[in-house]
Amino acid sequence: MRISELSAVSGVPLPTVKYYLREGLLPAGERTARNQADYGRAHVARLRLIRALTEVGGLSVADTREVLAAADDPQMPLDHVMGAAHDAVTNRAKPTRTEPEWSAARDIVLLLAEQRGWRVEPDAPAIDQAADAVAAVLAMDVPELHPLIDVYAEHAEELARREVAAVLSMGAPEEIVRGVVIGTIVGEALLNALRLMAQQSVSIALLEPGPGGP
Amino acid sequence: MRISELSAVSGVPLPTVKYYLREGLLPAGERTARNQADYGRAHVARLRLIRALTEVGGLSVADTREVLAAADDPQMPLDHVMGAAHDAVTNRAKPTRTEPEWSAARDIVLLLAEQRGWRVEPDAPAIDQAADAVAAVLAMDVPELHPLIDVYAEHAEELARREVAAVLSMGAPEEIVRGVVIGTIVGEALLNALRLMAQQSVSIALLEPGPGGP
């Protein structure tokens, strides 16, 4: 198909398609005439992936390029591709880490991971992100909430099992990368929204005066 | 203590403390001299809460002010305080909602809630946030990931039960309010980070060639 059709089929505006071509995110089409090239289904799939990365994931063009480069490298093991996607996502958050309690919180996170047998790259940004949250919980003097750290870890593990299994069932590597991105980013938004809905429901039920009191 | 000590004890830089005072997020200290005021433990606790909301939760100063106002109002029923914390969190994401599929996605979310017996205010922002995510999943042509929507709902419900129970065990109403805010916002950051760590671990384990084959 011609570039105008590629734009129509993918729903990506023509100037944006041209921009992705210039930036090298989208591979060039097959040259058919002086000023014409032919694009195929792979280009449509690639455009969808770029959109998932930039629009749903909020990644910059530079981060998108890195994730795509990892996905395109046939020598790159799949878990490194996943790592690139994760890093791109977690790099969006840039909290300050000046507190003295922070490295203690990071140790708690590492211990938690060790106890559950998790194998995580020691420089994974998610570890620092978890340490930020644990440090905040510890600084806040709410001992009643500390047991939740383990509850979250337990649910995170079970969720990850289901998510990774679903993503791997997508088959082709480029599909899997798309799945990782959608699962990581859109999944996060969905999980958080459903959790807020469930919290509202549970607290309404617990707080209302029931037939037996209070 | 003096404002410089308050800064040292809380780890919040002095200019930031002064900024929070000016913005009314932090109540004024007790005036002890012309240019001096005395701050107490309540100020340290409030600074920690502000930091959790802004740094870990990523809330704007305006959203932080709203959550604190709800928390400070003794007339405010607890589920409304929860609502304010929830709204502040969900307001961070401002996705576009122009797609025709969006109201279909919202119906899916409402059906899901109904099937699980959730009681959610029909205008809760979390419903729209969930609809955004469901619409993105549906638009992305990844049928393998659709079953995850139910998986998320299941885990969200169980998590909410544990979270609300932990928060209610905090006893005094103003403690509970603090628990809601910390649980909602810091809990979200922690859950997401642990989920990324677990995803990495599960995918490394699944992708490596094991003793029994690839």
Side-chain angles (χ1 to χ4, degrees), chain B residues 10 36 50 76 91 104 110 113 133 149 175 191 207:
Chain B
S10 64
Q36 227 168 17
I50 296 172
M76 181 80 84
N91 281 340
L110 291 177
I149 298 175
E175 282 299 285
L191 176 63
L207 292 169

Side-chain angles (χ1 to χ4, degrees), chain A residues 48 51-52 56 77-79 82-83 86-87 89-90 95-96 98-99 101 109-110 112-113 117-122 124 126-127 129-134 136-142 144-145 147-149 151-171 175 178-180 182-208, chain B residues 9-11 41 45 48-49 51-53 55-56 78-79 82-83 86 89-90 109-110 112-113 117-122 124 126-127 129-134 136-137 139-142 144-145 147-149 151-171 175 178-180 182-208:
Chain A
R48 280 203 181 132
R51 269 167 78 207
V56 186
L78 194 55
D79 56 316
M82 290 186 136
H86 279 174
D87 290 356
V89 174
T90 43
T96 52
T98 49
E99 359 219 341
E101 299 91 349
V109 172
L110 291 176
L112 188 79
W118 289 359
R119 295 161 55 184
V120 185
E121 303 281 343
I127 296 177
Q129 203 190 350
D132 288 335
V134 169
V137 172
L138 296 184
M140 219 67 80
D141 189 27
V142 281
E144 296 87 348
L145 301 188
L148 288 179
I149 298 175
V151 172
Y152 289 145
E154 193 185 308
H155 281 273
E157 185 174 319
E158 179 59 25
L159 278 167
R161 256 197 217 106
R162 305 287 297 264
E163 290 172 312
V164 172
V167 164
L168 288 181
S169 77
M170 293 173 70
E175 283 298 288
R178 207 159 58 97
V180 169
I182 298 167
T184 301
I185 300 173
V186 182
E188 181 179 303
L190 181 57
L191 175 63
N192 291 333
L194 292 174
R195 177 174 155 266
L196 292 179
M197 289 170 64
Q199 283 177 352
Q200 183 172 114
S201 171
V202 172
S203 53
I204 287 175
L206 280 177
L207 291 171
E208 83 182 342
Chain B
V9 168
S10 64
R41 289 189 53 204
R48 286 196 173 140
L49 181 53
R51 272 165 75 206
L53 290 164
E55 289 179 23
V56 185
L78 193 55
D79 55 323
M82 290 188 131
H86 283 175
V89 175
T90 44
V109 172
L110 291 177
L112 190 78
W118 289 358
R119 295 162 56 183
V120 185
E121 304 281 342
I127 296 177
Q129 199 191 356
D132 288 335
V134 168
V137 171
M140 219 65 82
D141 190 26
V142 281
E144 295 88 348
L145 301 189
L148 289 179
I149 298 175
V151 173
Y152 290 144
E154 194 184 307
H155 282 272
E157 187 175 318
E158 180 58 25
L159 277 167
R161 252 194 222 109
R162 304 286 298 263
E163 290 172 310
V164 172
V167 164
L168 288 183
S169 78
M170 293 174 70
E175 282 299 285
R178 208 158 57 95
V180 168
I182 298 167
T184 302
I185 298 175
V186 181
E188 180 180 303
L190 181 57
L191 176 63
N192 292 333
L194 291 174
R195 180 173 154 265
L196 291 178
M197 289 171 64
Q199 284 177 352
Q200 183 174 113
S201 170
V202 172
S203 53
I204 288 176
L206 279 177
L207 292 169
E208 83 182 343

Side-chain angles (χ1 to χ4, degrees), chain A residues 28-77:
Chain A
E30 201 182 329
R31 181 68 57 101
T32 52
R34 204 177 202 300
N35 264 318
Q36 229 169 18
D38 191 50
Y39 299 87
R41 288 188 53 203
H43 289 94
V44 177
R46 169 58 68 114
L47 273 177
R48 280 203 181 132
L49 179 54
I50 296 172
R51 269 167 78 207
L53 289 164
T54 55
E55 289 178 24
V56 186
L59 300 194
S60 66
V61 167
D63 284 340
T64 302
R65 186 183 291 114
E66 250 175 69
V67 173
L68 292 174
D72 288 341
D73 181 352
Q75 303 299 318
M76 180 79 84

